[in-house]
Amino acid sequence: MSNQTSVTEFLLLGVTDIQELNPILFVIFFTIYFVNITGNGAILMIVILDPRLHSPMYFFLGNLACLDICFSTVTLPKMLQNLLSTNKAISFLGCITQLHFFHFLGSTEAMLLPVMAFDRFVAICRPLHYSVIMNHQLCIHMTVTIWTVGFFHALLHSVMTSRLSFCGPNHVHHFFCDIKPLLDLACGNTELNLWLLNTVTGTIALTPFFLTFLSYFYIITYLFLKTRSCSMLHKALSTCASHFMVVVLLYVPVLFTYIRPASGSSLDQDRIIAIMYSVVTPALNPLIYTLRNKEVRSALNRKVRRWL
C-alpha cells in the first residue's frame, strides 16, 4: 500500500465550510446520535429480554436496531470530533477501514429489509404455514447470509480503493471516507472502481429494493383478491407501515447517491443525502417502530413499570 501512494492521511472537510455553524451542528448531531443509541438500544434490549417478542419479525427488528447503532457509529463520532477540532485528519488505514464498515453495514441493512418484507408476506399470505416456513433455522441462515454478503461486498470496495494511488491533494470533500470522494482524489485510472460502484453497489441496492416492493405487491394483490375488503386490506397493511417507512427513508437517498452518474453529482448534495441515510434515518427507525408497533410499545411499558 505504501508503495502505491504518497498520501499517509486524509483531511475530512466535514459537513459545511462555515466554521461558525460547527458548534450548532455538534449539538444537533450529538442529540440525533443519542436518540439513535438510546432508541435502538432499547429495542434491541426489549427484543432480547422479552419472551413475547421471540419471533422472526422481532428477531429481524433486533438485527435492524443493531445495524443502525453500528452504522451511525462508523461515521458520527469522527464527525462530532471534527466539528470541535481543528485537526480533521484521518489516517490512510483509518479511512479505508471506515469506508469498509460503512458499506458493510449499509449494504447489510439494505439486504435485511427485503427479508423483513418476506417475513410479513408469509405472515399475511401464508399464516397457517408461517411457523413452518419462517422457522428458526431459516431465520438464522438468512441473517448469516446477508451479513456475509455485505461484508464481502464492502471488502471488494475497500481493497480496490486501497490499491489506488493517492499522490495529493488529500482533502476529502465529505464528513467520512466514502468511495466517490476518494476516487476524485486518486491518481490514475479509476474506471474499474466506478464500474464496480455502479454495477455491484447498484445491484446490492436495486435488487433488495425490487424484492421489497414485490413482497408488498403480492400482499396487496393477495388481500384484494381474497377479501375484496378495503378495511381488511388497510388493517393488514397497517402492520407493514413501519417497515415500509423505513424502506423509503433508506432506499430513496441511497439510490439517488449511488445510482446516478458521478459526473452529475454535487458535493454539497451528496453530503446532505449522506446525512439523511447515515445519521437521520437510523435515529428515526426506533421512533417509527415504537410509535406504530403496539407490541414493542407494550413491552417497553412493561419494562419501564418493572424498573420503576
Side-chain angles (χ1 to χ4, degrees), residues 109-306:
E109 182 163 336
M111 290 183 287
L112 176 65
L113 294 179
V115 171
M116 296 175 74
F118 175 72
D119 172 70
R120 292 300 84 206
F121 163 75
V122 177
I124 294 172
C125 301
R126 301 289 186 273
L128 298 179
H129 301 92
Y130 179 76
S131 59
V132 176
I133 297 174
M134 298 302 296
N135 57 74
H136 180 71
Q137 188 175 16
L138 178 65
C139 293
I140 295 295
H141 283 168
M142 287 194 295
T143 305
V144 170
T145 299
I146 60 177
W147 280 80
T148 303
V149 172
F151 177 84
F152 283 104
H153 161 250
L155 187 65
L156 171 67
H157 286 305
S158 56
V159 169
M160 293 300 297
T161 305
S162 68
R163 293 175 61 83
L164 292 171
S165 297
F166 295 93
C167 46
N170 66 341
H171 292 71
V172 179
H173 291 271
H174 217 311
F175 61 90
F176 69 97
C177 289
D178 200 5
I179 298 172
K180 278 187 177 181
L182 289 179
L183 293 184
D184 291 338
L185 303 178
C187 307
N189 194 334
T190 60
E191 288 184 4
L192 177 59
N193 298 76
L194 284 171
W195 181 83
L196 287 172
L197 181 65
N198 293 330
T199 305
V200 180
T201 304
T203 302
I204 292 289
L206 284 174
T207 302
F209 183 75
F210 172 76
L211 292 175
T212 301
F213 278 89
L214 186 64
S215 295
Y216 281 114
F217 173 77
Y218 275 115
I219 289 172
I220 294 170
T221 303
Y222 171 83
L223 290 173
F224 182 75
L225 293 176
K226 183 175 181 180
T227 64
R228 298 185 181 276
S229 168
C230 290
S231 60
M232 287 284 292
L233 182 63
H234 179 267
K235 183 179 178 181
L237 289 182
S238 66
T239 65
C240 305
S242 301
H243 179 260
F244 182 77
M245 292 171 67
V246 171
V247 168
V248 172
L249 285 170
L250 176 69
Y251 280 126
V252 171
V254 168
L255 291 172
F256 189 78
T257 299
Y258 292 104
I259 303 304
R260 62 185 174 143
S263 58
S265 63
S266 159
L267 294 174
D268 291 335
Q269 227 173 30
D270 283 347
R271 281 187 282 194
I272 293 171
I273 295 170
I275 288 171
M276 279 301 301
Y277 67 77
S278 66
V279 178
V280 178
T281 300
L284 288 178
N285 287 353
L287 297 177
I288 291 170
Y289 275 105
T290 53
L291 289 175
R292 297 194 60 88
N293 191 297
K294 292 181 180 178
E295 289 182 319
V296 173
R297 288 203 310 270
S298 299
L300 282 171
N301 289 333
R302 286 195 299 271
K303 289 296 178 184
V304 170
R305 284 198 300 268
R306 191 174 301 173

